[in-house]
Amino acid sequence: MLIMLFFSAMLVGFSLGLMGAGGSIIAVPILMLLMEMSEKVAIKHALIIVGMISLVGAINGLRKNLIDAKVLTYFALSSLPLASVGALVGHALPNGWQTAILVALMLISAFKMVASKTLDSNTQKSLLIVLISGGIAGFVTGLVGIGGGFLIVPALVLYAGLNMQQAVANSLVLIAINAAAAFVTLNIAIDSLPTDWLVVSVMSISGVIAVVGGQLIAAKINQQILKRGFAICLLGVSVALLVNQF
């Protein structure tokens, strides 16, 4: 079981390193399907794991001078408060609702990964859209334990004027801080959710190794092929989640 967790976490880390998105959306299903955790416990674990993996990727981006402090500040203004709100709303939802929302987001993400073309930076920057995107990404992170990178990366490229490499690095910073905000909120407001630190350690360590590797080879992989392959993976995991629910 730990071997399967190791390779699953590697997939999470590689995707985050390559695209600044994608890996975190399968962390919750992995924990539910492999470790048989309830959705709320899985979300709490995913926030720790994805946050730690993203943090290491963010530090690597900082070393390469890819971080834009001004853009991060604007994004964080809306994403951090709503990450906490999303965590509380998610915990209050009846069992099964968060899984249903997660499956819907996985299907939408899979479709967008297949349909989307290469992003080109928009010279017409829009602070309002950046703030709105940040708020939605933060809320989604808290609600279902995924990083929201599929919202963050396009917003950073199209409306904040960053190139793809910068957007990926900044996305990892935002995912890390949103996950931290949601996790802290859950710990303060609800202390009844258990934490399996062995699972957290195995997935975090293997994911950290993979995110750095993903960043190193990002420029050498055809992004369209990668997106299509990951979309197929998302479809398969979403079907497995639905079968597991019924």
Side-chain angles (χ1 to χ4, degrees):
M1 189 65 69
L2 288 179
I3 293 176
M4 292 179 69
L5 276 180
F6 174 82
F7 284 110
S8 299
M10 291 286 284
L11 178 60
V12 171
F14 265 122
S15 182
L16 285 168
L18 288 167
M19 299 180 291
S24 51
I25 205 169
I26 64 169
V28 175
I30 286 169
L31 292 167
M32 291 179 67
L33 294 172
L34 294 185
M35 302 307 299
E36 298 183 351
M37 292 181 179
S38 69
E39 59 183 5
K40 298 188 188 305
V41 173
I43 286 170
K44 179 183 177 182
H45 282 70
L47 289 171
I48 311 173
I49 295 162
V50 171
M52 291 179 69
I53 295 171
S54 299
L55 178 61
V56 171
I59 293 171
N60 199 33
L62 181 62
R63 289 175 53 234
K64 296 180 180 180
N65 297 315
L66 295 172
I67 305 301
D68 189 315
K70 183 178 179 180
V71 169
L72 281 177
T73 300
Y74 285 134
F75 231 100
L77 283 173
S78 57
S79 66
L80 278 174
L82 285 172
S84 296
V85 172
L88 294 175
V89 170
H91 189 77
L93 288 174
N95 287 331
W97 279 67
Q98 285 166 290
T99 301
I101 294 169
L102 178 61
V103 169
L105 289 171
M106 291 173 72
L107 294 174
I108 292 169
S109 296
F111 173 76
K112 293 182 78 65
M113 288 187 87
V114 173
S116 64
K117 296 183 172 66
T118 303
L119 293 173
D120 294 315
S121 181
N122 191 343
T123 55
Q124 187 68 37
K125 299 178 178 63
S126 173
L127 175 59
L128 178 60
I129 296 180
V130 168
L131 289 171
I132 292 172
S133 301
I136 295 172
F139 184 77
V140 168
T141 299
L143 184 67
V144 291
I146 67 174
F150 286 113
L151 297 168
I152 297 172
V153 172
L156 291 176
V157 173
L158 295 173
Y159 304 110
L162 303 186
N163 62 40
M164 190 64 185
Q165 195 175 12
Q166 290 173 318
V168 168
N170 284 271
S171 174
L172 291 173
V173 178
L174 292 162
I175 291 170
I177 62 176
N178 285 338
F183 177 74
V184 169
T185 299
L186 283 177
N187 266 355
I188 293 174
I190 304 110
D191 60 2
S192 59
L193 296 175
T195 304
D196 187 329
W197 291 106
L198 177 60
V199 171
V200 169
S201 300
V202 169
M203 292 192 70
S204 296
I205 292 171
S206 53
V208 161
I209 295 169
V211 75
V212 175
Q215 288 177 314
L216 290 174
I217 64 175
K220 302 177 182 179
I221 294 182
N222 185 302
Q223 293 293 299
Q224 287 302 111
I225 293 176
L226 180 69
K227 287 179 180 180
R228 290 192 180 101
F230 200 84
I232 293 171
C233 177
L234 286 179
L235 289 173
V237 173
S238 63
V239 170
L241 265 182
L242 287 173
V243 170
N244 186 60
Q245 283 295 103
F246 298 104

